């Protein structure tokens, strides 16, 4: 399955997926979630062996928009000149390696400070390469792109003299080793449909700048025991984020204030999920707009 959307760990608990608790305590791979834009997909197409670049539209089942040439980019993205310009440069400067990858575009070389979306990144020196990309996912499968399986990128993509890959890595300070015991007898978990509606209401609260109080969450979730579990998972998540040490990463700022990155992506047996301080980053992301 393509990596189009990652759920917040606390949102996954709403339907009773207790595996996320184990995932937070086990030594799973955790990577930095970079706030670049647009999302890029590139690599060697498994069906024809040709090198391509695209946005997440590469995973469309119907309207195929894979770009092998500049003419393809103009045809599919000519109505989005900013995106087209980025794809032109990526087609020219990305190393043509085997495999299919996904990452976020940070900017064109020549500066030390970049603001591709909500977060401002400050590198320790001017980036001289032509393009700057933060890769995070690779895909496997001898099949159409939309059927390929997503995996967190744990290996390193080698930068070239024209393409700078930003690949921070993390280490965690040792903490608790056992997840808390959860008695689910009194918890009324939500159905997938109910969970989707609940997440919309929670996002609306965050967008308005409100804290997620127990009272507000009870009005959305309708069960005090589920509210307590939801808040507990948020606390565990934030403790884990505070324990992470980040290496080889530019400093990150929102509105001039330094933050500990946008968040992180945790890979576990069931897939990937995101760890984000939603009161800081998600609020800013909702209110300051997205890359166009």
């Amino acid at each position: 399955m393509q990596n189009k959307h990652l759920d917040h760990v606390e949102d996954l608990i709403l339907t009773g997926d207790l595996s996320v608790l184990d995932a937070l305590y086990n030594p799973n791979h955790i990577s930095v979630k970079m706030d670049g834009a647009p999302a890029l997909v590139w690599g060697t197409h498994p069906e024809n062996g040709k090198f391509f670049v695209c946005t997440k539209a590469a995973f469309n089942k119907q309207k195929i928009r894979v770009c092998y040439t500049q003419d393809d980019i103009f045809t599919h993205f000519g109505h989005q000149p900013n995106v087209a310009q980025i794809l032109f440069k990526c087609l020219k400067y990305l190393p043509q390696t085997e495999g299919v990858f996904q990452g976020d575009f940070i900017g064109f070389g020549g500066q030390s400070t970049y603001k591709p979306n909500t977060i401002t990144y400050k590198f320790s020196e001017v980036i001289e390469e032509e393009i700057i990309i933060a890769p995070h996912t690779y895909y496997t499968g001898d099949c159409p792109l939309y059927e390929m399986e997503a995996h967190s990128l744990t290996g390193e993509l080698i930068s070239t003299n024209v393409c700078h890959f930003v690949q921070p890595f993390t280490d965690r300070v040792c903490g608790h080793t056992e997840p808390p015991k959860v008695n689910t007898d009194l918890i009324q978990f939500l159905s997938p449909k109910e969970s989707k509606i609940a997440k919309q209401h929670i996002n609306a609260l965050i967008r308005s700048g409100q804290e997620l109080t127990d009272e507000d969450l009870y009005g959305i979730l309708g069960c005090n025991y589920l509210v307590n579990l939801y808040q507990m998972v948020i606390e565990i998540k934030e403790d884990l984020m505070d324990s992470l040490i980040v290496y080889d990463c530019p400093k990150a700022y929102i509105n001039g204030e330094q933050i500990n990155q946008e968040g992180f992506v945790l890979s576990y047996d069931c897939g990937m999920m995101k760890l984000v301080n939603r009161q800081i980053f998600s609020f800013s992301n909702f209110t300051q707009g997205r890359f166009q």
Side-chain angles (χ1 to χ4, degrees):
M1 180 181 296
Q2 62 268 27
N3 181 15
K4 282 192 172 183
H5 174 76
L6 297 179
D7 282 308
H8 294 279
V9 55
E10 61 268 28
D11 288 350
L12 289 168
I13 208 78
L14 294 175
T15 56
D17 182 5
L18 299 182
S19 68
V20 300
L21 281 174
D22 291 325
L24 289 171
Y25 283 86
N26 291 335
N28 294 296
H29 177 73
I30 300 177
S31 58
V32 176
K33 191 175 188 298
M34 299 289 290
D35 182 40
L40 299 171
V41 180
W42 73 93
T44 300
H45 200 293
E47 294 185 299
N48 57 31
K50 296 180 180 179
F51 182 79
F52 74 93
V53 297
C54 197
T55 64
K56 287 188 287 187
F59 298 121
N60 289 351
K61 293 183 180 180
Q62 300 296 328
K63 188 178 180 181
I64 305 299
R65 294 205 284 174
V66 177
C67 302
Y68 303 102
T69 66
Q70 290 189 354
D71 286 342
D72 290 338
I73 295 172
F74 183 79
T75 298
H76 298 312
F77 296 96
H79 63 293
Q80 297 175 276
N82 288 343
V83 175
Q85 182 187 22
I86 290 169
L87 291 178
F88 284 140
K89 295 286 188 179
C90 289
L91 182 64
K92 182 176 181 180
Y93 295 122
L94 271 168
Q96 298 190 20
T97 54
E98 295 295 323
V100 175
F101 299 91
Q102 183 175 335
D104 292 312
F105 184 75
I106 303 299
F108 299 117
Q111 305 176 55
S112 60
T113 300
Y114 294 87
K115 189 176 185 294
N117 195 32
T118 300
I119 292 178
T120 297
Y121 289 110
K122 293 186 177 181
F123 291 84
S124 58
E125 57 187 9
V126 173
I127 304 300
E128 300 292 351
E129 293 88 343
E130 297 287 343
I131 55 175
I132 308 166
I133 295 174
H136 53 70
T137 304
Y138 74 96
Y139 292 85
T140 58
D142 186 14
C143 55
L145 292 176
Y146 62 83
E147 294 182 353
M148 296 187 80
E149 188 71 24
H151 309 273
S152 182
L153 182 61
T154 58
E156 183 182 6
L157 293 186
I158 305 302
S159 298
T160 70
N161 60 350
V162 291
C163 177
H164 183 86
F165 287 123
V166 181
Q167 293 180 266
F169 63 98
T170 65
D171 193 6
R172 71 167 85 185
V173 178
C174 293
H176 299 294
T177 57
E178 294 292 333
K181 302 296 184 182
V182 177
N183 185 347
T184 61
D185 292 343
L186 298 176
I187 302 177
Q188 297 174 336
F189 292 107
L190 305 182
S191 68
K193 182 177 180 180
E194 291 170 335
S195 175
K196 181 178 180 180
I197 296 172
K199 288 186 286 187
Q200 291 172 346
H201 288 301
I202 291 171
N203 283 335
L205 283 177
I206 295 171
R207 186 181 290 108
S208 68
Q210 298 183 56
E211 292 186 11
L212 297 179
T213 66
D214 290 350
E215 182 179 1
D216 287 333
L217 285 173
Y218 177 76
I220 296 172
L221 305 180
C223 172
N224 279 324
Y225 297 101
L226 183 55
V227 170
N228 292 340
L229 177 60
Y230 191 86
Q231 295 282 45
M232 182 184 73
V233 173
I234 291 177
E235 183 176 343
I236 294 171
K237 173 193 72 173
E238 292 180 349
D239 286 344
L240 173 57
M241 292 170 64
D242 289 340
S243 76
L244 295 174
I245 303 172
V246 179
Y247 300 93
D248 292 347
C249 190
K251 294 180 179 179
Y253 299 83
I254 289 182
N255 298 325
E257 181 177 348
Q258 187 170 354
I259 62 169
N260 186 24
Q261 305 304 318
E262 170 191 344
F264 304 89
V265 175
L266 187 151
S267 302
Y268 66 123
D269 291 342
C270 298
M272 293 179 280
M273 58 187 177
K274 57 187 175 185
L275 316 176
V276 175
N277 187 323
R278 297 166 82 176
Q279 301 299 131
I280 295 177
F281 175 77
S282 296
F283 170 72
S284 297
N285 202 31
F286 280 139
T287 57
Q288 294 185 20
R290 302 288 290 177
F291 174 87
Q292 299 295 324

